[in-house]
């Protein structure tokens, strides 16, 4: 059958064929690499069945040795091929098992960190700053722990004046470096004086040369404090001060500026404004500014949004300016109130409770 001189006894051919088949079966039965290596040893190892057959050749005459040797080696090669195939299969299975175990399901929606949002009052503050900014107003910031002098005295409320009791506050048993009593500021109005004095100092040299002072045009938003607590008052609340001082700034400018602000803030031209006579120590004349909406749930009722007035000569003097030459207006509005009106919130305290169920509605 090899075409050679020797015809192999059928029994040996069969035996080799069976050997290959039994190796194939053993390899297939090995489910693990270690089992496969054991099976390999049984056939190809030092005392394995193929090795034993090859050792047996030694006793044969040369021709038979050559022919049988070739057949045995061929069987050995087939077994080695089967072994390599099974190794591949097991390796592939192991790889698949690992891939499966470490599988990443990229179609699962990710776990995100919740996004926060601006507090509704912060939104209002930003709107106020943007609107006044577009009208040429600077934005200033100042201390919440304020001296008695800036908070009251400089604003024309002398010590023991009854007007001080309009703004009961939190007093601190502490004085600043110059010996002035400190309290939590009751309004942002002290920023009028702080800003104006800094402005005057900045332009002092030019003014001394006789040049006119550039107009003061500023808003000062921030936190303020009073001993007050109900649905429309909180011990900590917000105000935004406004100040415009020049040589020819009048009440009509106040009306124009404040009306323009309200219309842009509430995004309606149908808004009505009313300047109702009032009293503040630091303005003369003084007014409360009320607004009324032409429609919506608040239609028709007057709502107070700001105090305002022409800056009192004594205050202008405390700015470091001559009240005979410099004149203007100021206002102090409540951003919390504006936020309540804009979003239809009935209780001011909701803004400061920190309840996310409420706050997340404004995201
Ligand atoms: N500071 C006043 C208050 O808190 C509000 C105010 C009224 C501010 C009139 C002003 C003003 O600038 O001109 O009640």
């Amino acid at each position: 059958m090899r075409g050679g001189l020797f015809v192999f006894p059928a029994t040996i051919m069969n035996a080799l064929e069976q050997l290959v088949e039994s190796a194939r079966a053993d390899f297939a039965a090995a489910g693990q690499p270690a089992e496969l290596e054991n099976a390999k040893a049984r056939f190809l190892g030092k005392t394995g069945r193929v090795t034993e057959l090859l050792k047996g050749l030694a006793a044969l005459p040369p021709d038979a040795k050559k022919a049988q040797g070739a057949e045995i080696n061929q069987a050995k090669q087939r077994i080695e091929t089967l072994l390599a195939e099974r190794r591949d299969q097991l390796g592939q299975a192991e790889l698949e098992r690992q891939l499966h175990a470490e599988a990443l399901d990229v179609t699962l929606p990710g776990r995100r960190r919740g996004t926060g949002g601006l507090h509704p009052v912060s939104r209002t503050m930003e709107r106020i700053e943007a609107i006044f900014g577009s009208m040429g107003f600077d934005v200033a910031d100042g201390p919440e722990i304020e001296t008695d002098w800036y908070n009251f005295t400089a604003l024309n409320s002398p010590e023991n004046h009854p007007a001080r009791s309009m703004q009961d506050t939190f007093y601190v048993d502490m004085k600043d470096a110059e010996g002035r009593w400190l309290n939590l500021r009751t309004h942002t109005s002290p920023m009028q004086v702080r800003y104006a004095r800094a402005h005057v100092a900045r332009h002092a040299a030019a003014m001394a040369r006789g040049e006119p002072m550039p107009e003061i045009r500023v808003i000062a938003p921030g936190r303020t404090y009073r001993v007050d607590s109900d649905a429309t008052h909180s011990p900590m609340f917000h105000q935004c001060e406004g100040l415009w001082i020049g040589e020819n700034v009048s009440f009509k400018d106040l009306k124009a500026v404040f009306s323009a602000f309200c219309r842009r803030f509430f995004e309606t031209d149908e808004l009505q404004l009313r300047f109702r006579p009032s009293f503040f120590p630091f303005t003369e004349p003084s007014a409360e500014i009320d607004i009324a909406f032409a429609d919506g749930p608040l239609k028709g009722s007057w709502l107070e949004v700001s105090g305002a007035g022409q800056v009192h000569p004594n205050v202008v003097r405390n700015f470091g300016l001559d009240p005979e030459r410099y004149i203007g207006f100021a206002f102090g509005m409540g951003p919390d109130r504006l936020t309540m009106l804009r979003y239809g919130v009935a209780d001011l305290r909701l803004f400061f409770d920190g309840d996310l169920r409420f706050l997340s509605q404004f995201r």
Side-chain angles (χ1 to χ4, degrees), residues 213-225:
M213 179 192 75
E215 287 190 345
I216 295 172
R217 220 177 293 154
V218 66
I219 59 164
R223 278 184 286 267
T224 47
Y225 305 84

Side-chain angles (χ1 to χ4, degrees), residues 167 186-187 189 192 226 239 241-242 280 282-283 287 307-309 330-332:
Q167 302 186 355
T186 58
H187 50 179
S189 301
Q192 290 184 31
R226 282 185 212 176
Q239 279 197 346
E241 199 73 12
F280 297 101
F282 33 90
T283 44
F331 59 83

Side-chain angles (χ1 to χ4, degrees), residues 105-262:
D105 182 353
V106 293
T107 65
L108 263 184
R111 253 174 260 144
R112 287 159 213 269
R113 179 175 297 218
T115 47
L118 273 188
H119 190 281
V121 174
S122 303
R123 284 176 185 269
T124 295
M125 292 294 214
E126 288 197 346
R127 274 177 79 73
I128 293 173
E129 289 174 20
I131 295 170
F132 278 103
S134 76
M135 294 195 269
F137 280 73
D138 193 10
V139 178
D141 203 9
E144 290 168 31
I145 302 173
E146 186 53 284
T147 66
D148 175 84
W149 190 79
Y150 278 111
N151 196 81
F152 293 117
T153 316
L155 291 165
N156 203 31
S157 301
E159 240 171 283
N160 304 318
H161 192 282
R164 283 198 179 193
S165 63
M166 286 165 72
Q167 302 186 355
D168 201 7
T169 183
F170 300 94
Y171 294 93
V172 236
D173 199 6
M174 211 189 289
K175 293 180 178 177
D176 73 356
E178 282 129 77
R180 296 180 294 198
W181 283 106
L182 294 169
N183 57 251
L184 297 187
R185 67 178 179 189
T186 58
H187 50 179
T188 44
S189 301
M191 280 307 294
Q192 290 184 31
V193 189
R194 284 185 178 274
Y195 186 90
R197 288 169 78 90
H199 181 91
V200 169
R202 217 168 20 247
H203 299 287
M207 287 163 75
R209 288 194 300 270
E211 291 173 30
M213 179 192 75
E215 287 190 345
I216 295 172
R217 220 177 293 154
V218 66
I219 59 164
R223 278 184 286 267
T224 47
Y225 305 84
R226 282 185 212 176
V227 182
D228 251 343
S229 187
D230 58 43
T232 52
H233 296 90
S234 147
M236 189 286 295
F237 60 107
H238 297 88
Q239 279 197 346
C240 181
E241 199 73 12
L243 179 68
W244 186 348
I245 299 287
E247 288 183 81
N248 199 13
V249 182
S250 75
F251 219 91
K252 79 175 191 290
D253 298 305
L254 167 63
K255 281 192 152 182
V257 163
F258 210 86
S259 305
F261 164 72
C262 288

